[in-house]
């Protein structure tokens, strides 16, 4: 390297080391002012933390500009959904027990009186439609007008329901007569701050019925699932936080055998937790299943900072016993390294911002700033606290020489020096086995996938799926393309055919649409004759119009399934929580069939378009195109408008338009045909969850690749050696491959709650690489570029801290295994295993690479980096700094 460049990097090195030394001195000099600022800022963040709220509802995994989200928002606006439906089911045939039926009837009436309940629908509160011939209108008539007195009366009621096909499979299962009650809750009350109190009021009434009648009640519906998920997230936050604190304190006590380092470390992470929660509320975010993990993560990730800094402080004291000098060296020697390790870890989280998923973006932003704040807190709190405390006794630093740790590091050194072929062989075998496991990973996700299989919410959900088909909304929207066209006979027949597609599919509940409402009305017109429960014909519409228009209410039968313009209609089903793989298959199966029902000409016309595009005979191509357009009036009108570029004064003569080898004309024709077809779209929470899961998985590799790239760039700034960056990345990819193998072999699917594993683990595991390589580079200076000796000395110096931090991280993330959420359990176990493998990789594989490649790994840029990290100040003779003056100024 040219001398000028050498001088540049060395000058930069001097400035960097002096900068950190200066920071250390300023911290000590202004420690009282810094304490005041820390307390003030923490008070503000504590106040903000008290206002943080739990997120209600399913997390949004898709970006706002996603077409799936746009379709769902549009659907909600068009059909003005103002209530949320909560379902309860009873495992009893109510038609065979008068007392229980009457109690069910009273329960419905009691629930309807609760503030916030809009309607209650069950076999005790259902209605019939009666024709009033004199007034020429339909009248809503309650089927049950009061308590049932005898079994004979109940039998007659059962016969009456049997003659009302509208309610079969909707309110009761005709095979075993299990019944359900649909409770519509106003969103205004249910989404308010007293949601839990409101929900408990409803559940109390239901539980009283259950206990009083000795029957089994099942609960489900999206409101119930969401409320339970919110409650579990709230519980998780407290339990995991407490367990993490307890485990961390125990491990720190075992390591340090002193209460002071433990209290200092817990102060750092406690402040970090307060700041993270405060930041969450300051940014307007809510606690989700992911952001609830940030507080435990802050503790687990913050403790290694403390261990490295405290170990370095004790190590310096053992060398010279000067507290001021030791504190200054702690900051000046490993300040950069600590900053870089926090930066790389935080970067692993920040890459989630590029997914554009609201769920992950919020998690990534808060996690990034929380991790970076840990760096500030650890430097400030540890330096200031030890500046006030007396110098520790020698027995307080015995943790630096624990026999078992020293023996373990000696074993690593032996393997690196003498068993490198074995190390490489084991690595290759692990990599090959891991690749096989990686290929077996599947992508899947269920709405309740993360709940324990024996959780009541899951059991009740399966009961509803078995008896009523499912509870997750699945909506099909039909667009007639023009207002007041949706009730055309051809479209209504298409809706009926679409509903018939799902009749025999056990994954779906009974569907409801305007067609069912019209069938119910037709049956009423014919005096309740069940044989007349069929679609109204075109000739019959005139007879019904007066009755429908004169009716004061239809109980939402028509308005709930039509928009106000009568251009859109909905077909409402509930689907089982079958998982994203099965849901993808269902959509692939049903979507083309539904489209073929409403647009039967599409397939033929598309095939003719393909012929036109390939046809070289001009006359034949033009003839086919004109044939298509002249038999599709809407398409012809749209095409002429497009072809004339919207100029209505122009007259387009189709006979004069040439389509052969005319890409513009063919493109306009395709557009015209597409706009002429009826619009059919499938939406609902089931679809947004499916698309959200697929979206996150697709972006997993993007975020992980970005994390690797950014970390590589950061390390390039530190080590300025391409070879060193390559072996560093390879070393840390081995643990990720190992984790992927575990997921593949043990059937742990990639889903929203497990995609975090790789980015988190990579960001944390590379910390050990930075610490080791920084120390290795320093040893090269001291040993005059003796690679073998430098590798061994770096192992002995950093091995103890790396073992300690790895154990902390292993048990810290292992605490997540006590979570009630399966995804959180998997996240904790997988990250724990990954980081433990990463420790072995960084203490065995990485040094082996350095020993094997020797001179090839030793470059001038690596010896003289652009950015310096660790205690290389021997060249700068920092020992000559005036520490005595510093002691006088700070009165230590």
């Amino acid at each position: 390297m040219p001398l000028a460049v050498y001088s540049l990097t060395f000058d930069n090195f001097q400035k960097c080391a002096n900068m950190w030394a200066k920071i250390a001195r300023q911290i000590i000099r202004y420690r009282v002012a810094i304490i005041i600022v820390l307390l003030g800022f923490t008070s503000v963040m504590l106040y903000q933390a008290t206002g943080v709220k739990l997120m209600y509802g399913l997390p949004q995994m898709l970006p706002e500009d996603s077409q799936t989200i746009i379709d769902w928002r549009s659907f909600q606006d068009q059909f003005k959904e103002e209530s949320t439906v909560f379902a309860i089911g009873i495992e009893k045939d109510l038609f065979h027990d008068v007392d229980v039926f009457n109690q069910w009837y009273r329960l419905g009436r009691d629930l309807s009186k609760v503030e916030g309940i809009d309607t209650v629908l069950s076999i005790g509160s259902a209605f019939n439609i009666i024709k009033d011939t004199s007034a020429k209108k339909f009248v809503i008539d309650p089927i049950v007008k009061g308590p049932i007195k005898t079994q004979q009366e109940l039998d007659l009621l059962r016969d009456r329901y049997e003659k009302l096909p509208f309610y079969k499979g909707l309110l009761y299962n005709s095979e075993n007569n299990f019944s359900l009650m649909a409770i519509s809750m106003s969103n205004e009350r249910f989404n308010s701050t007293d949601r839990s109190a409101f929900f408990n009021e409803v559940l109390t009434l239901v539980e009283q019925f259950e206990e009083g009648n000795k029957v089994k009640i099942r609960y489900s519906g999206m409101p119930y699932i969401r409320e339970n998920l919110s409650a579990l997230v709230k519980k998780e936050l407290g339990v995991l936080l407490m367990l993490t604190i307890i485990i961390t304190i125990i491990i720190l006590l075992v390591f340090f055998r002193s209460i002071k380092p433990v209290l200092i470390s817990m102060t750092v992470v406690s402040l970090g937790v307060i700041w993270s929660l405060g930041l969450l509320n300051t940014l307007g975010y809510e606690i989700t299943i992911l952001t609830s993990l940030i507080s435990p993560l802050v503790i687990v990730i913050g403790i290694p900072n403390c261990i490295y800094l405290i170990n370095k402080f004790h190590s310096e004291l053992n060398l010279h016993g000067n507290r001021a000098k030791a504190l200054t060296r702690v900051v000046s020697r490993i300040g950069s390294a600590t900053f870089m390790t926090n930066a790389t870890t935080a970067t692993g989280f920040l890459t989630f911002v590029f997914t554009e998923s609201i769920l992950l973006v919020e998690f990534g932003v808060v996690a990034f700033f929380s991790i970076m704040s840990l760096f500030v807190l650890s430097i400030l709190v540890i330096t200031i606290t030890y500046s006030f405390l007396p110098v520790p006794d020698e027995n307080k630093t015995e943790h630096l020489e624990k026999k078992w740790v020293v023996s373990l590091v000696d074993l690593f050194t032996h393997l690196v020096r003498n068993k490198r072929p074995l190390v490489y062989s084991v690595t290759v075998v692990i990599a090959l086995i891991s690749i096989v496991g990686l290929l077996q990973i599947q992508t899947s996700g269920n709405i309740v996938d993360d709940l324990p299989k024996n959780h009541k919410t899951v059991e009740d959900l399966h009961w509803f799926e078995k008896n009523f088909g499912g509870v997750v909304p699945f909506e099909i929207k039909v667009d007639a393309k023009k207002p007041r066209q949706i009730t055309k006979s051809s479209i209504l027949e298409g809706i009926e055919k679409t509903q018939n597609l799902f009749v025999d599919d056990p994954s779906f509940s009974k569907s409801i649409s305007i067609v069912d409402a019209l069938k119910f009305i037709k049956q009423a017109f014919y005096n309740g004759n069940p044989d007349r429960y069929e679609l109204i014909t075109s000739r019959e519409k005139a007879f019904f119009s007066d009755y429908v228009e004169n009716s004061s209410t239809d109980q939402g039968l028509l308005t709930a399934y039509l928009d106000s313009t009568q251009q859109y209609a909905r077909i409402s089903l509930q689907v089982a929580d079958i998982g994203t793989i099965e849901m993808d298959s269902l959509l692939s199966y049903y979507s083309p069939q539904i489209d073929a029902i409403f647009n039967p000409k599409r397939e033929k016309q598309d095939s003719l378009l393909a012929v036109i595009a390939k046809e070289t005979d001009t006359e034949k191509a033009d003839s086919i195109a004109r044939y298509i357009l002249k038999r599709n009036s809407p398409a012809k009108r749209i095409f002429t408008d497009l072809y004339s570029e919207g100029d209505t004064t122009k007259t387009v003569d189709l006979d004069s338009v040439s389509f052969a080898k005319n890409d513009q004309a063919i493109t306009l024709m395709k557009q015209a045909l597409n706009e002429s077809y009826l619009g059919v779209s499938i939406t609902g929470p089931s679809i947004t969850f499916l698309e959200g899961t697929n979206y996150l998985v697709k972006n997993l590799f993007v975020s992980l690749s970005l994390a690797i790239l950014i970390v590589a760039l950061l390390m390039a700034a530190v080590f300025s050696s391409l070879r060193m960056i390559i072996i560093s990345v390879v070393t840390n990819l081995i643990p990720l491959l190992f984790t992927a193998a575990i997921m593949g072999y043990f059937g742990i699917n990639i889903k929203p709650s497990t995609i975090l594993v790789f980015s988190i683990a990579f960001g944390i595991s590379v910390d050990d690489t930075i610490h080791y390589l920084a120390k290795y580079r320093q040893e090269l200076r001291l040993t005059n570029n003796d690679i073998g000796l430098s590798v061994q000395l770096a192992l002995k110096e950093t091995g103890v801290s790396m073992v300690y931090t790895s154990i902390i991280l292993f048990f810290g993330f292992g605490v997540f295994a006590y979570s009630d959420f399966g995804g959180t359990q998997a996240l904790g176990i997988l990250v724990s295993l990954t980081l433990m493998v990463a420790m072995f990789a960084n203490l065995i594989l990485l040094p082996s690479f350095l020993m094997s490649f020797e001179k090839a790994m030793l470059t001038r840029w690596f010896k003289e980096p652009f950015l310096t990290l660790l205690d290389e100040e021997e060249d700068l003779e920092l020992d000559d700094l005036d520490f005595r003056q510093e002691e006088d100024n700070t009165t230590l």
Side-chain angles (χ1 to χ4, degrees):
M1 185 175 67
L3 182 61
V5 177
Y6 182 90
S7 300
L8 173 65
T9 56
F10 187 75
D11 288 342
N12 184 72
F13 163 69
Q14 282 185 307
K15 292 176 181 179
C16 182
N18 282 324
M19 178 192 73
W20 286 104
K22 184 176 180 180
I23 289 174
R25 295 196 296 271
Q26 295 301 318
I27 291 173
I28 298 174
R29 177 177 292 124
Y30 298 108
R31 55 187 175 170
V32 175
I34 292 174
I35 291 173
I36 294 172
V37 172
L38 283 177
L39 290 176
F41 185 74
T42 301
S43 299
V44 172
M45 299 307 284
L46 182 60
Y47 173 77
Q48 288 282 40
T50 58
V52 69
K53 299 177 181 178
L54 283 169
M55 180 183 180
Y56 171 69
L58 295 175
Q60 183 175 319
M61 296 176 283
L62 291 168
E64 282 292 340
D65 59 354
S66 163
Q67 189 59 48
T68 302
I69 291 295
I70 293 172
D71 290 344
W72 177 231
R73 298 272 190 267
S74 173
F75 176 88
Q76 291 175 308
D77 290 339
Q78 287 165 350
F79 293 100
K80 306 298 181 186
E81 291 195 328
E82 297 178 352
S83 61
T84 304
V85 179
F86 164 49
I88 60 173
I90 180 171
E91 292 189 27
K92 187 174 181 64
D93 184 352
L94 294 176
F95 292 115
H96 280 89
D97 194 317
V98 175
D99 291 336
V100 178
F101 181 90
N102 286 333
Q103 290 296 325
W104 187 253
Y105 166 77
R106 292 190 183 95
L107 174 62
R109 292 175 65 86
D110 290 340
L111 287 171
S112 64
K113 297 175 184 177
V114 176
E115 182 184 355
I117 298 292
D118 289 339
T119 58
V120 177
L121 186 62
S122 71
I123 60 173
S125 60
F127 59 87
N128 195 6
I129 302 177
I130 306 296
K131 181 176 69 171
D132 185 342
T133 306
S134 59
K136 282 195 172 183
K137 66 178 183 179
F138 291 117
V139 178
I140 299 299
D141 181 48
I143 297 176
V144 180
K145 297 179 174 61
I148 301 297
K149 297 178 181 178
T150 64
Q151 182 61 46
Q152 184 179 7
E153 188 178 346
L154 191 58
D155 291 339
L156 292 174
L157 179 65
R158 177 178 187 157
D159 293 339
R160 191 174 182 185
Y161 269 109
E162 289 292 333
K163 295 176 182 178
L164 294 173
F166 181 83
Y167 292 113
K168 282 187 178 180
L170 185 65
L171 296 181
Y172 68 98
N173 184 317
S174 57
E175 295 180 1
N176 52 32
N177 287 316
F178 287 170
S179 300
L180 66 78
M181 182 180 293
I183 305 166
S184 295
M185 306 172 173
S186 67
N187 283 330
E188 183 179 355
R189 175 103 196 262
F190 197 71
N191 292 331
S192 65
T193 54
D194 67 336
R195 179 180 67 246
S196 294
F198 167 57
F199 206 81
N200 288 334
E201 185 178 356
V202 173
L203 290 180
T204 298
L205 291 172
V206 179
E207 289 167 358
Q208 289 174 353
F209 167 83
E210 184 178 20
E211 294 174 3
N213 293 279
K214 308 299 182 185
V215 293
K216 183 71 172 178
I217 294 293
R218 300 289 187 173
Y219 304 87
S220 202
M222 291 306 296
Y224 179 74
I225 293 173
R226 287 149 59 183
E227 174 64 19
N228 275 277
L229 287 174
S230 296
L232 280 173
V233 168
K234 184 177 181 180
K235 174 187 173 185
E236 289 276 284
L237 180 60
V239 172
L240 290 182
L241 193 58
M242 187 57 64
L243 284 175
T244 305
I245 291 173
I246 293 173
I247 291 294
T248 303
I249 289 175
I250 292 174
I251 296 175
L252 287 175
L253 282 173
V254 171
F255 285 167
F256 289 113
R257 298 295 180 93
S258 173
I259 194 63
K260 289 179 182 177
V262 176
L263 292 178
I264 295 171
S265 301
M266 296 313 300
T267 299
V268 171
V269 295
S270 296
L271 292 177
V273 169
I274 294 172
W275 288 17
S276 66
L277 291 174
L279 178 64
L280 199 66
N281 190 45
T282 301
L283 295 175
Y285 300 161
E286 295 177 319
I287 296 178
T288 65
I289 189 173
L290 289 186
T291 53
S292 67
L293 300 177
I294 291 178
S295 294
L297 281 174
V298 165
I299 296 175
V300 174
I301 296 173
I303 290 299
N305 281 358
C306 301
I307 289 178
Y308 275 111
L309 293 170
I310 293 174
N311 274 356
K312 187 61 179 176
F313 174 64
H314 288 165
S315 178
E316 288 293 329
L317 283 178
N318 284 347
L319 290 175
H320 50 70
N322 187 314
R323 179 176 51 181
K325 184 176 180 179
L327 289 174
T328 306
R329 280 192 169 190
V330 165
V331 179
S332 63
R333 292 190 173 194
I334 62 173
S336 292
T338 306
F339 173 80
M340 284 299 299
T341 55
N342 281 263
T344 53
T345 301
T347 298
F349 292 105
L350 190 62
T351 53
F352 292 125
V353 172
F354 297 100
T355 66
E356 297 183 11
S357 165
I358 293 177
L359 177 70
L360 287 181
V361 167
E362 292 181 356
F363 175 79
V365 169
V366 177
F368 173 80
F369 286 107
S370 297
I371 301 305
M372 293 310 298
S373 69
L374 282 173
F375 164 73
V376 177
L377 285 168
S378 57
I379 292 290
L380 294 179
V381 172
I382 291 175
T383 303
I384 292 174
T385 303
Y386 274 115
S387 73
F388 282 108
L389 294 176
V391 176
D393 299 331
E394 288 187 8
N395 61 343
K396 301 301 183 182
T397 61
E398 291 178 352
H399 59 88
L400 298 173
E401 298 294 336
K402 284 187 179 296
K403 291 183 179 180
W404 68 271
V405 177
V406 174
S407 299
L408 184 61
V409 173
D410 288 342
L411 174 62
F412 295 157
T413 304
H414 172 71
L415 292 174
V416 171
R417 289 181 60 188
N418 306 311
K419 302 292 183 180
R420 286 196 297 279
L422 175 63
V423 170
Y424 297 142
S425 299
V426 172
T427 300
V428 170
V429 170
I430 291 176
L432 292 175
I433 294 175
S434 298
I435 291 173
V436 174
L438 172 65
L439 298 176
Q440 299 181 37
I441 297 181
Q442 292 187 339
T443 301
S444 182
N446 300 70
I447 291 177
V448 297
D449 193 33
D450 288 333
L451 291 176
K453 301 303 180 184
N454 60 351
H455 194 278
K456 179 173 173 54
T457 302
V458 179
E459 292 179 348
D460 288 358
L461 177 64
H462 291 331
W463 183 88
F464 273 92
E465 291 173 350
K466 178 181 178 182
N467 293 284
F468 295 96
V471 296
V472 184
F474 183 95
E475 302 281 356
I476 303 172
K477 184 175 76 173
V478 181
D479 179 3
K481 293 298 176 80
K482 286 184 178 181
R484 306 189 67 81
Q485 295 296 305
I486 201 70
T487 54
K488 289 175 61 176
S489 296
S490 59
I491 295 179
L492 293 176
E493 289 171 3
I495 292 174
E496 183 179 37
K497 290 179 181 178
T498 300
Q499 291 182 258
N500 290 336
L501 289 176
F502 297 94
V503 169
D504 296 323
D505 193 328
S507 296
F508 290 92
S509 68
K510 179 180 179 178
S511 62
I512 299 292
S513 73
I514 184 179
V515 167
D516 298 283
L518 292 174
K519 287 180 179 180
F520 201 171
I521 289 172
K522 180 174 180 177
Q523 181 182 358
F525 185 82
Y526 288 103
N527 302 312
N529 182 356
D531 294 333
R532 291 290 189 169
Y533 186 77
E534 57 188 8
L535 195 58
I536 298 173
T537 64
S538 299
R539 290 181 298 175
E540 292 173 319
K541 284 184 179 180
F543 299 105
F544 292 100
S545 59
D546 290 340
Y547 282 88
V548 173
E549 291 175 2
N550 293 334
S551 301
S552 59
T553 179
D554 63 3
Q555 290 291 303
L557 282 177
L558 296 177
T559 57
Y561 299 99
L562 289 177
D563 81 315
S564 58
T565 67
Q566 294 190 22
Q567 178 177 331
Y568 302 97
R570 66 191 282 194
I571 304 172
S572 294
L573 304 94
Q574 281 75 43
V575 65
D577 187 23
I578 54 178
T580 54
I581 296 177
E582 293 83 353
M583 182 63 73
D584 240 338
S585 299
L586 283 178
L587 289 177
S588 299
Y589 176 75
Y590 283 113
S591 293
Q593 293 189 65
I594 296 171
D595 184 72
I597 289 173
F598 289 101
N599 300 298
K601 296 180 181 179
R602 186 195 293 267
E603 184 177 359
K604 180 179 179 181
Q605 291 176 346
D606 285 350
S607 63
L608 290 176
L609 277 174
V611 172
I612 295 172
K614 296 178 180 179
E615 184 59 57
T616 56
D617 186 330
T618 302
E619 185 177 345
K620 185 175 181 181
D622 292 347
S623 174
I624 296 173
R626 291 164 192 149
Y627 168 84
I628 295 173
L629 291 176
K630 289 179 180 180
R631 283 159 179 76
N632 189 330
S633 297
K636 178 181 177 181
R637 175 182 52 79
I638 296 169
F639 175 80
T640 56
D641 184 57
L642 291 172
Y643 196 79
S644 63
E645 298 180 346
D647 188 348
T648 56
T649 62
K650 289 184 179 180
T651 301
V652 178
D653 183 6
L654 287 180
D655 292 335
S656 65
V657 179
S658 176
F659 290 90
K661 298 182 180 180
N662 188 339
D663 292 338
Q664 180 187 8
I666 294 174
T667 300
L668 293 178
M669 187 174 176
K670 287 180 181 179
Q671 184 179 345
L673 287 171
N674 286 331
E675 291 184 19
S676 71
Y677 297 137
L678 293 179
V680 182
S681 60
I682 301 176
T683 187
S686 53
I687 306 303
T688 58
F689 185 82
L690 163 69
E691 294 299 328
T693 300
N694 292 337
Y695 178 85
L696 292 185
V697 172
K698 288 177 183 177
N699 280 274
L700 161 65
F701 300 102
V702 175
S703 62
L704 181 59
S705 299
L706 282 172
I708 294 173
L709 175 61
I710 294 172
V711 167
L713 291 175
L714 289 172
M715 295 183 71
V718 176
F719 299 116
S720 302
S721 169
L722 178 61
R723 299 164 187 164
M724 198 62 65
I725 293 170
I726 292 174
I727 69 164
S728 299
V729 172
V730 169
T731 299
N732 287 283
L733 285 180
I734 296 297
L736 299 188
L737 276 176
F738 178 82
T739 301
I742 292 177
M743 295 180 69
Y745 289 126
F746 289 90
I748 302 174
N749 294 334
I750 293 181
K751 52 188 177 181
S753 54
T754 58
I755 63 171
L756 302 175
V757 171
F758 300 101
S759 293
I760 291 176
F762 182 80
I764 297 176
S765 65
V766 80
D767 293 355
D768 285 345
T769 304
I770 292 174
H771 276 291
Y772 179 81
L773 290 180
K775 184 60 183 175
Y776 166 68
R777 187 180 62 201
Q778 181 222 348
E779 294 297 340
L780 284 174
R781 291 177 176 276
L782 301 178
T783 61
N784 195 25
N785 296 333
D786 186 329
I787 293 177
L789 182 58
S790 297
V791 166
Q792 296 175 49
L793 293 175
L795 261 179
K796 291 183 179 296
E797 176 73 18
T798 60
V800 173
S801 292
M802 288 168 69
V803 170
Y804 282 179
T805 56
S806 296
I807 292 174
I808 286 279
L809 290 168
F810 178 82
F811 286 102
F813 279 101
V815 166
F816 291 176
Y818 291 93
S819 169
D820 287 326
F821 292 105
T824 306
Q825 293 175 356
L827 174 68
I829 294 172
L830 291 173
V831 172
S832 294
L833 291 174
T834 304
L835 294 179
M836 192 55 65
V837 174
M839 180 193 74
F840 290 109
N842 281 297
L843 289 177
I844 300 177
L845 183 60
L846 178 60
S848 296
F849 281 147
L850 296 175
M851 291 281 284
S852 295
F853 294 109
E854 292 188 349
K855 296 296 181 181
M857 300 307 302
L858 188 61
T859 66
R860 175 73 70 182
W861 279 103
F862 180 68
K863 291 184 289 182
E864 301 292 350
F866 178 73
L867 177 65
T868 56
L869 283 187
L870 204 56
D871 47 347
E872 305 179 27
E873 73 290 339
E874 284 77 5
D875 291 340
L876 296 177
E877 298 181 350
L878 284 180
D879 291 347
D880 293 336
L881 292 172
D882 191 358
F883 290 109
R884 293 184 181 178
Q885 179 183 352
E886 201 64 53
E887 288 187 10
D888 294 337
N889 292 336
T890 56
T891 61
L892 289 180

